[in-house]
Amino acid sequence: MLITKLSVWKKALSYIGLTLVAITYISPFLWMIMSSFRPPSEPFALGIFPQSWTIQNYFRTLQDPELLMSFFNSFKVAAISAGLALVLGIPAGDGFA
């Protein structure tokens, strides 16, 4: 009976620890997403949720031609890298098989 109670406490403490680690890793992403809906006048206001919600930040960002060019350049680099990996990896895999 003592071993069973001990294992229950051990499992409970491990779940509490894992929950704290998950909260530690998820909270910056939650803060980043919620901050994107804040107006520019309150970037560092306290609280997780914005007092007034706006999507103006997304409109302003997507209308920036330099950012759109950066997205396109990133897509080109990713496509070329993936294609090169396939061109070199498929024959190599066939040779090793």
Side-chain angles (χ1 to χ4, degrees):
M1 189 70 165
L2 181 63
I3 295 173
T4 306
K5 286 183 180 182
L6 183 62
S7 65
V8 168
W9 278 105
K10 194 174 187 180
K11 188 180 279 191
L13 286 175
S14 67
Y15 281 134
I16 290 171
L18 288 172
T19 302
L20 290 175
V21 169
I23 289 171
T24 302
Y25 280 104
I26 290 173
S27 60
F29 294 106
L30 179 64
W31 181 267
M32 179 177 57
I33 291 169
M34 289 296 130
S35 293
S36 72
F37 291 109
R38 294 179 195 269
S41 61
E42 56 175 73
F44 298 111
L46 293 178
I48 294 176
F49 297 104
Q51 294 175 356
S52 59
W53 294 75
T54 182
I55 56 172
Q56 189 64 30
N57 297 330
Y58 289 102
F59 289 136
R60 190 172 350 140
T61 302
L62 292 176
Q63 290 173 351
D64 184 12
E66 291 179 7
L67 184 72
L68 293 176
M69 184 58 78
S70 297
F71 280 146
F72 180 68
N73 288 340
S74 297
F75 178 75
K76 282 193 314 190
V77 169
I80 291 170
S81 298
L84 188 61
L86 286 173
V87 166
L88 296 176
I90 290 174
D94 188 44
F96 286 132

